Amino acid sequence: QVNVAIRSSLQSLREKIDQLRELLLRAVSTRQITQLEGDRRQNLLDELLTRHKQLEASYRNEGPEPDMSRSSLMAGGAKRGITNPWLLEEPEETRGLGFDELRQQQRRIIEEQDAGLDALSSIISRQKQMGQEIGNELDEQNEIIDDLTNLVENTDDRLRTQTRHVKLVDKKSTSCG
């Protein structure tokens, strides 16, 4: 009865891994997730598949001795460089602190971050204001340049007209005299 339950659970695990793989391929192909995230999830799926194969080998009493296989499966992949976050040592700054002290420390850190964000926000607001003022000045300068361009074009047109008149007068004066 236990063997049937184990075989059934292993088969169910394999089917769910295959479903995850299909969903992942669909999510990547429809661009619901980025390629980088798809690669990360693919690595996790490959790890699940490896663990599934190890479980099957352990069930059939293949591979390394059963105690070694079980301990490596339960270690959360520590042999492959993946560490269990619950087994990490506590950092010095939080060691020995109680729940309330940890909460106070987190609040202090958040307040410091908020103060930094407020300072950053005021700097960005000032830069935005400066950018808007520069944009307004550029608009005014462009209007002045457009006005000058129109004046130069009008002057050029008048100069051409006057030049034609002078040529016409010169031509008439040479033909008369």
Side-chain angles (χ1 to χ4, degrees), residues 13-156:
L13 177 62
R14 178 57 189 217
E15 289 170 1
K16 288 180 180 180
I17 291 173
D18 291 340
Q19 287 175 351
L20 282 173
R21 187 178 307 275
E22 289 174 23
L23 289 171
L24 176 62
L25 289 173
R26 195 172 313 133
V28 170
S29 66
T30 59
R31 300 186 193 273
Q32 291 175 341
I33 60 174
T34 64
Q35 185 63 42
L36 187 63
E37 178 64 14
D39 292 343
R40 186 187 74 79
R41 291 182 185 185
Q42 181 63 47
N43 289 338
L44 292 172
L45 267 176
D46 292 342
E47 200 173 304
L48 267 176
L49 192 57
T50 300
R51 287 189 180 173
H52 175 264
K53 288 178 182 178
Q54 289 174 344
L55 280 170
E56 283 185 330
S58 176
Y59 172 71
R60 285 178 268 171
N61 288 329
E62 298 174 357
E65 62 184 69
D67 288 339
M68 275 295 284
S69 178
R70 284 189 190 123
S71 65
S72 69
L73 285 173
M74 300 307 284
K79 291 172 84 175
R80 291 185 299 275
I82 301 167
T83 60
N84 184 343
W86 302 107
L87 299 177
L88 293 175
E89 275 192 43
E90 188 175 357
E92 285 292 324
E93 57 269 5
T94 60
R95 190 169 291 148
L97 296 179
F99 182 74
D100 290 332
E101 294 163 326
L102 283 173
R103 192 178 325 163
Q104 287 175 353
Q105 183 181 22
Q106 286 178 337
R107 282 187 186 139
R108 188 176 67 257
I109 290 170
I110 289 171
E111 288 171 1
E112 290 172 2
Q113 289 174 344
D114 286 346
L117 288 173
D118 289 342
L120 183 61
S121 174
S122 66
I123 291 170
I124 291 173
S125 294
R126 177 68 183 133
Q127 288 181 335
K128 177 184 175 186
Q129 182 182 4
M130 287 171 53
Q132 289 172 336
E133 289 173 3
I134 290 171
N136 292 340
E137 182 67 26
L138 285 173
D139 290 342
E140 289 177 23
Q141 296 292 329
N142 282 336
E143 287 178 19
I144 292 170
I145 289 173
D146 289 343
D147 290 344
L148 280 174
T149 301
N150 289 336
L151 287 172
V152 167
E153 288 174 357
N154 290 340
T155 303
D156 188 47

